[in-house]
Amino acid sequence: MSNPALKKAHYWCLISLLPLTSMAEGIIDIKPYISGGVNYDNNIFRFSSPAQAKSVLGSSDASDVMKRLELGVSVNLRLSRQLITLSSSLSENKFDRFDYLDNRGKSNSLRWDWRLGSNFYGELSASENESIAGFNETRSAVKNLRTIGRQSASINWNFKPDWTIYASQEHVKLDNESAGSRVLNREDEITEGGVRFLSPLNTQLRLAYRIADATFPNRSGPVKLFFGDESSQKEAIVTAAWMPGAKTRISTRLSHVNLKRNISSDRDFSGFSQRFGLDYQATDKVNFNLAAYQVVSPVDDVVSTYVKSKGVDISPTWNITSKVALSGNLAYSENSYLGSAGISTNSEERQDESIQAGLTLLYTPTQKSLVQLQYQGEKRTSNIVNGDYEFNNINFLVRYSF
């Protein structure tokens, strides 16, 4: 992040400490917050075995504890029917054992939700986030700070009470700091347009066409030869949602995906993506979310660029009291990394299977505070060397909004 952007983040964090009465009530709303947490992970680098950890670290123990302190602020400015939102945060992340991973995270965003008359509205936004990259794909004990910048614009026209025509444009730029990860740098231009229908009974329908063009400026040598330095993904999309009963909501997303690279068509992809969801409210306090999917999506940490995933997951939630909630997640997925056979030693596409489980206990003693205890775990198997891993992660978080 540039120095001016960092100074702006410091400025907004400081201004958040000013008395709220100094601002005109009802026009500017300033919401500062502070949060702290402790995170334990028994396999932080996602090594496949203790032997691999020892060969890299000199010790078979790849666990660590990370402590995090974050200060942030959100400023909402309402001018008639216009809403401008500025958000900024800084975080300090300290590791007990692998202290070379210590880092400072930064996040800044500016958004304008605009409205013209009763039927035209949209959004203009820009954001930049810097944080340490994960190790799920790289499995390398190297610190890599990743910066993601986004700029987007959208427009909507309600030409009928239940019908809306919309268009959106988004630019995404991903930069990696470490030299070994710069080959993964990318820029995406995403354009989407379509029509939406929403009935008074909350039945929804959307027809859309989406184009995502990606460039990879740092690719060279064999990686550029096998995967090229440009790709284009085009999707014709249909989404629908309806409520057959007061406690049940069914949703679906179907699309035809056409993925092309600027090299041999042997590594292109054409096929269908689909996702089905079911939300069911069993009681006033218990609800379930079920999902099944087969999708093609970009992935940031491997050179094959795109992954075809299919799987199922279930996420129940139990609101024990008005202040205590317990939620869980259980998921199974199969992932095929498109084009990875081009640089594989056995000329096979990379195939992974993953089982994930999670449990979250949330306590909100007041409207401005929360306490969260979370567990996450995953077991992955793969047909590539050292592609397997298991990890268990426990996170404790406290947050207070002023």
Side-chain angles (χ1 to χ4, degrees), residues 131-188:
S131 61
I132 191 169
F135 303 96
N136 286 25
E137 297 295 345
T138 61
R139 289 178 292 281
S140 171
V142 175
K143 175 182 177 180
N144 176 37
L145 294 181
R146 173 171 293 162
T147 301
I148 301 177
R150 297 178 182 271
Q151 300 86 41
S152 64
S154 68
I155 184 171
N156 302 264
W157 174 34
N158 292 342
F159 67 98
K160 293 285 187 180
D162 299 337
W163 292 90
T164 303
I165 294 175
Y166 77 95
S168 65
Q169 176 77 29
E170 182 178 29
H171 174 78
V172 184
K173 184 178 182 181
L174 184 149
D175 288 317
N176 294 278
E177 183 181 71
S178 72
S181 297
R182 289 173 189 165
V183 67
L184 304 172
N185 289 0
R186 62 185 293 157
E187 292 191 42
D188 292 351

